[in-house]
Amino acid sequence: MPSGRLSVVVTRRLPDVVETRLKELFDVRLRDDDTPMTREELVAALREADILVPTLNDHLDASVIAQAGDQLRLIANYGAGVDHIDVATARQRGIQVTNTPGVLTEDTADMTMALILAVTRRIPEGLAVIETGQWKGWSPTALLGGRVSGRRLGILGMGRIGQAVARRASVFGMQVHYHNRRRLREETEDALQATYWESLDQMVARMDVLSINCPHTPSTFHLMNARRLKLMKPSAVIVNTSRGEVIDENALTRMLKAGELAGAGLDVYEHGSETNADLRALTNVVMLPHMGSATVEGRLEMGEKVIINIKTFADGHRPPDLVLQSMD
Ligand code: DGY
């Protein structure tokens, strides 16, 4: 398939440099509005494009993919997570799916540490004191947080991002523990000074900080359900920079309100941008608008990956970031 004639539809505004490069290489339709497409617009795009470049806001479920035209050959996702795409249905229809792994790792791990520090050191409360003009000078007893050094950090999901969090946490003096579907190789565990827990329940019950770093799949949906959240120490903090669906958000909110958990740092939510008002009202919860990977460098590298995946596919080769199945 000659790449010059490929029709590429991008569902969302992308950084200028990425859009310019896409225009140079392909017959591309870009999006003017910085809003997600409606379902109808998405279906129209699937009927028009040889290649669709969606983002995590586009819900490409089986019923949407079923409406794709026969010309659609590749879904080159601008993002690492593919839980918004029914990969199995796409593949059954002969549509390949690619993503952008690796280039968001360091940024997301940085944001995980930022949330751990923000919650344990009460940074938003400090900012509020300054912003409201209430600060009367240093006080021996004001805004006392907890020391992160020496705390036990449990990482749920020890893939690329989990390991990048582990490296950072060790430097902060935290003791690193993890649970993962597959245990890491001994050399990797040694390098990360990480202790493996086969039982998630047992790990969760002993951690001071729990960081969610596994993808959202059918088997990780509500992995942190009410029962498991209740196993956590009341002094513990939970941080999530992965996907909101991994935590039962209602159960988490109830526990935080009741003081059964010390705090939470969240970048992602079970219902996307429809955040829970009760959660927003809590001072021991730091909430960010899904900005874990939001760096200029990261967004450009994501674009480069998308372009390499499309080019490789167009040249008749297997794209480097082919997703074989939903990560279940
Ligand atoms: C991804 O790429 O899946 C990230 O969640 C975006 O921040």
Side-chain angles (χ1 to χ4, degrees):
M1 206 188 281
S3 59
R5 292 183 21 225
L6 282 177
S7 133
V8 177
V9 175
V10 181
T11 67
R12 198 68 204 260
R13 285 274 303 278
L14 300 181
D16 286 348
V17 181
V18 177
E19 292 193 341
T20 303
R21 191 71 188 124
L22 281 165
K23 277 194 284 196
E24 284 165 5
L25 291 169
F26 312 108
D27 171 13
V28 66
R29 180 155 75 77
L30 299 170
R31 183 146 174 91
D32 294 330
D33 301 337
D34 191 22
T35 52
M37 283 187 171
T38 62
R39 202 174 160 92
E40 291 69 32
E41 286 173 322
L42 199 52
V43 169
L46 289 168
R47 291 197 172 135
E48 165 191 342
D50 298 320
I51 295 173
L52 185 79
V53 179
T55 71
L56 58 85
N57 298 115
D58 303 306
H59 297 288
L60 293 160
D61 55 31
S63 66
V64 169
I65 293 176
Q67 300 178 65
D70 289 339
Q71 83 299 330
L72 184 73
R73 299 269 56 92
L74 175 68
I75 297 174
N77 188 51
Y78 183 85
V82 290
D83 52 331
H84 55 295
I85 304 173
D86 188 327
V87 178
T89 302
R91 284 175 64 82
Q92 273 161 21
R93 293 217 34 187
I95 303 163
Q96 299 197 31
V97 178
T98 58
N99 66 344
T100 63
V103 292
L104 310 89
T105 305
E106 304 301 323
D107 300 325
T108 310
D110 287 344
M111 197 58 96
T112 305
M113 288 310 297
L115 281 173
I116 292 173
L117 291 167
V119 179
T120 56
R121 299 300 305 274
R122 305 175 62 180
I123 290 174
E125 290 171 79
L127 289 172
V129 170
I130 296 288
E131 279 163 14
T132 55
Q134 288 168 18
W135 194 42
K136 300 283 180 285
W138 185 82
S139 150
T141 53
L143 287 170
L144 302 186
R147 177 182 291 159
V148 294
S149 177
R151 288 198 183 196
R152 290 176 148 211
L153 169 67
I155 299 176
L156 173 46
M158 200 58 145
R160 287 190 182 91
I161 296 174
Q163 292 183 36
V165 171
R167 285 194 293 276
R168 284 158 177 74
S170 296
V171 176
F172 276 84
M174 300 186 87
Q175 297 169 31
V176 176
H177 299 255
Y178 77 99
H179 172 83
N180 199 44
R181 277 191 310 176
R182 264 175 255 113
R183 186 170 181 169
L184 299 179
R185 294 206 320 265
E186 208 178 315
E187 312 86 84
T188 314
E189 272 185 5
D190 290 348
L192 296 171
Q193 297 170 46
T195 305
Y196 174 65
W197 292 76
E198 192 173 345
S199 159
L200 177 58
D201 284 358
Q202 287 184 22
M203 180 179 89
V204 156
R206 287 165 182 80
M207 296 300 120
D208 302 307
V209 179
L210 184 71
S211 175
I212 310 298
N213 296 109
C214 59
H216 166 222
T217 68
S219 52
T220 64
F221 176 78
H222 280 194
L223 196 54
M224 289 307 295
N225 54 22
R227 181 192 68 77
R228 221 170 240 136
L229 285 166
K230 287 231 182 274
L231 297 175
M232 293 181 71
K233 299 199 275 188
S235 58
V237 159
I238 190 165
V239 167
N240 190 1
T241 51
S242 173
R243 284 291 184 270
E245 290 90 336
V246 179
I247 304 179
D248 178 340
E249 199 169 281
N250 282 335
L252 175 69
T253 307
R254 277 197 304 275
M255 286 183 64
L256 287 162
K257 275 174 86 174
E260 292 164 8
L261 262 185
L266 306 172
D267 188 40
V268 286
Y269 307 92
E270 191 170 342
H271 305 290
S273 57
E274 284 164 32
T275 55
N276 185 319
D278 287 344
L279 213 43
R280 293 200 303 267
L282 294 169
T283 51
N284 55 346
V285 180
V286 179
M287 295 170 73
L288 296 177
H290 200 156
M291 54 190 280
S293 68
T295 64
V296 174
E297 295 85 347
R299 293 289 185 258
L300 294 182
E301 287 167 13
M302 286 162 73
E304 280 162 20
K305 278 211 157 248
V306 166
I307 289 167
I308 291 169
N309 282 319
I310 298 177
K311 283 284 287 168
T312 318
F313 171 81
D315 293 344
H317 303 296
R318 180 191 160 107
D321 304 307
L322 193 62
V323 178
L324 294 178
Q325 55 188 32
S326 307
M327 289 165 273
D328 58 358

